[in-house]
Amino acid sequence: MRNPIEFDSNSRTCRSAGAVMALAMLWVAGGCAALHHDERLHSTLWVQTSAEYAISTEQVYSMAIQGLAAALEDPDWNVVLERNDQDRELPPAIIVDIDETILNNAGHAARSIIARKGFVAEFWRAWVREVAAPAVPGAVDYLRYAQAMGITVFFISNRLADLEEPTRENLEAVGCPLRTDIDVVLLREEKPGWGVDKSARRAWVAERFRVLQIIGDDLRDFVHVPEDSDEGARVEIALSHHRRWGEGWYMLPNPIYGGWEEALMKGEYAEHVSPLERKFKHLQTQ
Ligand SMILES: [Mg+2]
């Protein structure tokens, strides 16, 4: 591609015009940089401002409510993969994730964009300690409905265990039912073996309860996903369980972050490659 400054080397006028054009391009580019190009802007605004996001989550929770009575009445209904064989007599429970499933942290994403930060642990922890996250639309009505049916609600989240107190406070502040006679908020590193992968915590619940439904915003909220899975492998895992979606497993939208993004960026966070450049290469034109 020609450099506009060299467009016509025989004409001083054209060279000048080319130089002006180049300066204009630099000015536009500089303006964009001043606005700070953060790819989370679009997705965060969608979550915070669109009717479509709120309707999407309400729809998912409405579907879950509609399926709950039949699941409760069927003693063979158990949707957790880590179930054991002796579970027909176990009391009923549901498992939900917390972030972007029950609590909406788009405000934290907005602050990160404005502060020009990626994910910073201390920034996140300060947000959690504020106890200010609103509920995801539809979530609290669903949890209350389940509680009224005598179903125990378990929260399995990768928030770290030392954030349990503000996490509980935030769940209570938005109106979530929380049993206090047993621990229903199961956080990362709360017990040995409770790492990022949630399988061990699902198994812990499955030993004690019959799990009627699972709701989350990330594939890993439902099933073990090997760490090195690329986007194709993740889709294959999801489709291998296609009968469960909408039938005990309910997925909420999260366009801001999640396992889907980690799969695209895996091993490619090298300093010389910008996230945008890397993501651009994953675009599919057909
Ligand atoms: Mg989540």
Side-chain angles (χ1 to χ4, degrees):
M1 197 173 146
R2 279 175 162 177
N3 182 327
I5 293 176
E6 297 170 349
F7 183 67
D8 185 349
S9 58
N10 295 320
S11 161
R12 187 178 181 86
T13 307
C14 283
R15 279 205 304 274
S16 300
V20 168
M21 190 189 297
L23 282 171
M25 288 168 73
L26 282 172
W27 181 81
V28 169
C32 288
L35 281 172
H36 179 53
H37 196 154
D38 188 319
E39 69 268 33
R40 293 170 300 179
L41 177 61
H42 200 74
S43 52
T44 301
L45 285 174
W46 187 70
V47 170
Q48 291 192 316
T49 69
S50 78
E52 288 80 359
Y53 171 72
I55 296 302
S56 299
T57 62
E58 291 269 10
Q59 248 175 199
V60 169
Y61 277 115
S62 174
M63 284 173 61
I65 285 174
Q66 287 170 37
L68 206 48
L72 182 62
E73 286 166 17
D74 179 357
D76 291 318
W77 185 274
N78 193 333
V79 300
V80 71
L81 296 177
E82 295 83 2
R83 61 183 290 183
N84 64 55
D85 294 331
Q86 311 296 323
D87 49 25
R88 289 182 101 250
E89 306 303 321
L90 295 176
I94 54 175
I95 294 175
V96 295
D97 168 54
I98 293 178
D99 294 313
E100 282 39 81
T101 297
I102 304 298
L103 298 179
N104 178 345
N105 303 291
H108 170 260
R111 292 182 190 186
S112 301
I113 294 167
I114 292 166
R116 305 187 178 197
K117 303 274 189 196
F119 180 82
V120 177
E122 268 318 305
F123 209 59
W124 165 252
R125 294 170 67 81
W127 164 263
V128 170
R129 288 195 201 101
E130 265 187 54
V131 188
V136 168
V140 175
D141 285 347
Y142 164 73
L143 296 183
R144 286 178 172 166
Y145 183 84
Q147 182 197 35
M149 295 174 82
I151 298 165
T152 297
V153 180
F154 279 96
F155 301 85
I156 297 185
S157 164
N158 276 342
R159 290 186 175 198
L160 283 164
D162 67 336
L163 292 171
E164 180 150 343
E165 204 47 49
T167 297
R168 283 175 172 276
E169 284 175 26
N170 206 151
L171 292 171
E172 280 173 347
V174 298
C176 294
L178 276 179
R179 272 182 71 167
T180 51
D181 54 331
I182 57 168
D183 186 9
V184 292
V185 181
L186 312 182
L187 301 186
R188 179 154 56 108
E189 294 178 14
E190 192 175 314
K191 292 185 191 297
W194 288 11
V196 170
D197 188 292
K198 295 180 170 180
S199 304
R201 283 172 279 173
R202 285 192 295 268
W204 189 92
V205 174
E207 279 176 26
R208 297 159 175 84
F209 289 83
R210 181 166 66 89
V211 179
L212 308 184
Q213 296 182 336
I214 303 174
I215 303 193
D217 68 299
D218 192 300
L219 189 56
R220 297 169 296 189
D221 294 330
F222 305 85
V223 59
H224 169 71
V225 178
E227 265 191 43
D228 59 350
S229 301
D230 62 13
E231 64 265 46
R234 296 181 84 255
V235 171
E236 271 182 35
I237 292 169
L239 292 180
S240 72
H241 298 286
H242 68 276
R243 284 193 178 84
R244 297 182 185 275
W245 300 111
E247 297 286 339
W249 287 10
Y250 300 90
M251 184 74 83
L252 293 157
N254 180 1
I256 303 177
Y257 68 90
W260 65 272
E261 187 198 21
E262 291 166 34
L264 300 182
M265 299 303 297
K266 195 164 292 297
E268 296 173 336
Y269 275 107
E271 281 179 24
H272 62 284
V273 180
S274 78
L276 272 183
E277 189 181 333
R278 178 52 59 193
K279 286 174 181 171
F280 195 83
K281 291 175 182 172
H282 285 272
L283 285 174
Q284 297 164 14
T285 55
Q286 286 186 316

